[in-house]
Amino acid sequence: MPAAETKTLDASAPQSPPAPTAAKEKPDLSHVWVVAAEIEVTPKIASVADYRGSFKTAEGQRVDALEVYCRGCRRPYDEVKGQDCAEKIDNRHLIGGDQSVRAKRKIPVPPPNAKIIPGGTINRRGIGAYVSGVSRPKR
């Protein structure tokens, strides 16, 4: 019976480099371009498009581009070409800027001869609101 061979790690053997750590991927800040288009269609296709919200066009049909803009930040192509998408960085431009520094709404001042008469509360929720005609037109 032959002796069992044991393999030992040779100290002079070159050591392999440490496994590379997962590099942090940069977030994708590129724009997603969309085109507002004008396409002439038949009445049948128009009814399908109105009902479904989409339709198929004929191959090779020419489409007039009305506007090219980014789907995220809603800014025109020629204004932001080559820049990062503002929607992916900070979405504040879509809500009218920074809310903490915006001017507050002014409460209108009533005319000097007006008399303010307090009214009752209006129930806008629940079945009582529906029955009383708040959420639907009165008959």
Side-chain angles (χ1 to χ4, degrees), residues 71-116:
R71 178 182 289 159
C73 64
R74 305 261 185 215
R75 292 189 174 149
Y77 176 79
D78 55 344
E79 285 183 15
V80 294
K81 177 178 67 170
Q83 300 173 9
D84 291 337
C85 182
E87 186 261 342
K88 294 179 181 176
I89 298 170
D90 187 7
N91 207 9
R92 277 187 263 166
H93 73 284
L94 292 175
I95 57 172
D98 187 3
Q99 302 289 316
S100 64
V101 296
R102 261 188 8 192
K104 303 300 178 194
R105 291 189 178 126
K106 296 179 182 176
I107 299 173
V109 179
N113 61 350
K115 184 177 180 184
I116 299 175

Side-chain angles (χ1 to χ4, degrees), residues 18 23 25 28 43 49 58 64 79 93 115 120-121 127 129 133 137:
E25 294 181 18
D28 181 23
D64 297 328
E79 285 183 15
H93 73 284
K115 184 177 180 184
T121 59
I127 190 71

